[in-house]
Amino acid sequence: NIGPIVAAIAIETVAGEPFEQLVQAQVLEPLGMQHTSYHYHPDVVKSYRGDGITPEPYIHIADRPAGSMNSTAADMAALLRMYLGRGSSDGRRLISEASLQRMERPQSTLAAATGLRAGYGLSNAGNETDGYWYQGHGGGIDGFLSSYSYAPSINRGYFFAINARSGEAMRRIDKRIREFLTVDLRPLPQTPYLAGVNLQRMHGFYQPDAPRQEILRWLELITGTVRVTSEGDQLMITPMFGTRSVWRPLSDTLLRKDNGIAPTLAFVRGQDHEVLLQGPGVGTLKRIPAMLAWSRLLLIGASAVLTLSAVAFALVWLPRRLFTEVEIPGLAARAWPALASAALLLSFGLLQAGQASAPQLLGNLTIYSLGF
C-alpha cells in the first residue's frame, strides 16, 4: 500500500493542497460520485466479523490514499460506467483510452515484458475467471469486503460490498453475480495451445520470491513451494499443500490454464539469470535445487514432530512428577523443550485468535497482544 501514499504526497507537494480535495474536484465530481469520500461519514453502515453477528468497530485508515474511501453502490456504478465507456461517461471524455489501458495493464514485471497482460496494473488488476476476462479491484478491512469488476469484451460489470468479514460469503456472492452477468452469453473461445514446446526446461522445484509481507517470507517458503512437471503438452504445478493446476503453452514463454482462454503465466529469467514463473495466480516463483526443497520439507517435518512430541510427553511425565513418587530422570532436559514448544504453539494460537479483530486485539494492550 506504500505506492498510493507516496503518489499522494508527491501530488500534494506539487499542487499545494490536500490530496483528498484534489480527488474530490478532479475525479469524484466529474464522475458524479457525490456520496464518496476518504473521510468517515455517519451514514456508513455497521460492520461485523465473519460470523455476521459480532460488531466490528469502524477503522480509520491512517494512510487514506491506499484505501479508506467510503462510497455507495450508485456512485460505484458511475465509476464502472466510465471504465466500460473506455474513459467516457455520459458522453463526456474524462480520461484517454491510452490512460485507461495503462491503468489496466502491468508494465513493470518481467512477465509483462513478455506480453503477459494478466496481473496488477495501476490499482487495477486483470485476470480470467469462468471463461471471461475481467478487470477491477477488491477491498477488505475489518468488517467490510468489496469488489468492483468489469469485462470490456462483453460491456458488463458489477460492484458489491458486504458489511461482514466473511471471505466465503464474498466468494459465493461474487460467483453468483458473475453467473447472472453471463447467463445469456457463450464463454469466449480458448486461445489454441502450441504443441511441441519444450516444457522440460521448466521442470523443478520453485519457491515464492516476492512476498507481499517480508516478515512472513519464512511462512510462504514453507507453504508456497511447488513442483513443476510436464506430460506431453501439459505443464503441471503441484503445491506441497494444495491442488495441482494444469497449464498449456501458447508460446515458448506464455501459458494458459488448461481450461483457460488467455495466457496468465509466464516463464522468464531474472536479472541474475534465475529461472522464474510469474503470473497473478502464482505470484513470482523462483526455481531452487530439489535437494533444498526436500531437505527443507524434511526439517520442517522433523521440527514439527519434535515440537509436538515435547508437549505430548509432558502430558505423561508432568502428572507423574506432580502426583506420584516416581523419580523423573533428566527433568530439565524434558521441561525446557516442553515449555518452549508450548510457548511457540500458544503464541501462534494467540496470533490467530487476535486476527479476528487485529487493530483492537493485537494493536492494543490485550490478553492477545500481551500473551503473544
Side-chain angles (χ1 to χ4, degrees), residues 121-133:
L122 297 175
S123 296
N124 190 313
N127 205 356
E128 172 202 326
T129 306
D130 299 332
Y132 296 92
W133 190 270

Side-chain angles (χ1 to χ4, degrees), residues 291-306:
M291 182 63 71
L292 174 60
W294 284 117
S295 61
R296 181 186 291 155
L297 192 63
L298 290 172
L299 285 170
I300 291 167
S303 299
V305 169
L306 288 170

Side-chain angles (χ1 to χ4, degrees), residues 104 106 116-120 124-136 149-152 178 247 257 261-265 279-282:
E104 293 175 338
L116 192 75
R117 62 175 283 217
Y120 197 64
N124 190 313
N127 205 356
E128 172 202 326
T129 306
D130 299 332
Y132 296 92
W133 190 270
Y134 289 93
Q135 296 284 153
S149 190
Y150 60 97
R178 290 179 193 265
W247 303 77
K257 282 194 172 181
I261 61 169
T264 54
L265 183 68
V282 302

Side-chain angles (χ1 to χ4, degrees), residues 62-97:
D63 46 339
R64 284 196 296 271
S68 71
M69 185 172 280
N70 299 313
S71 190
T72 65
D75 275 17
M76 291 301 297
L79 180 67
L80 280 171
R81 281 196 296 272
M82 186 274 292
Y83 281 125
L84 290 172
R86 310 311 295 158
S88 297
S89 180
D90 296 329
R92 291 187 305 149
R93 170 65 59 179
L94 299 174
I95 61 174
S96 68
E97 173 77 18

Side-chain angles (χ1 to χ4, degrees), residues 23 26-27 29 41 55 59 77 82 110 119 127 152 193 199 208 334:
V23 172
Q26 298 190 24
V27 180
E29 289 180 5
H41 193 284
I59 300 298
M82 186 274 292
L110 295 168
N127 205 356
Y193 70 86
L199 298 177
R334 297 170 184 265

Side-chain angles (χ1 to χ4, degrees), residues 25-77:
Q26 298 190 24
V27 180
L28 301 179
E29 289 180 5
L31 282 170
M33 299 176 69
Q34 301 297 324
H35 305 283
T36 301
S37 172
Y38 279 101
H39 298 280
Y40 173 76
H41 193 284
D43 288 343
V44 172
V45 298
K46 291 182 178 179
S47 56
Y48 302 88
R49 296 183 187 175
D51 58 12
I53 299 172
T54 307
E56 193 69 79
Y58 180 89
I59 300 298
H60 296 269
I61 304 178
D63 46 339
R64 284 196 296 271
S68 71
M69 185 172 280
N70 299 313
S71 190
T72 65
D75 275 17
M76 291 301 297

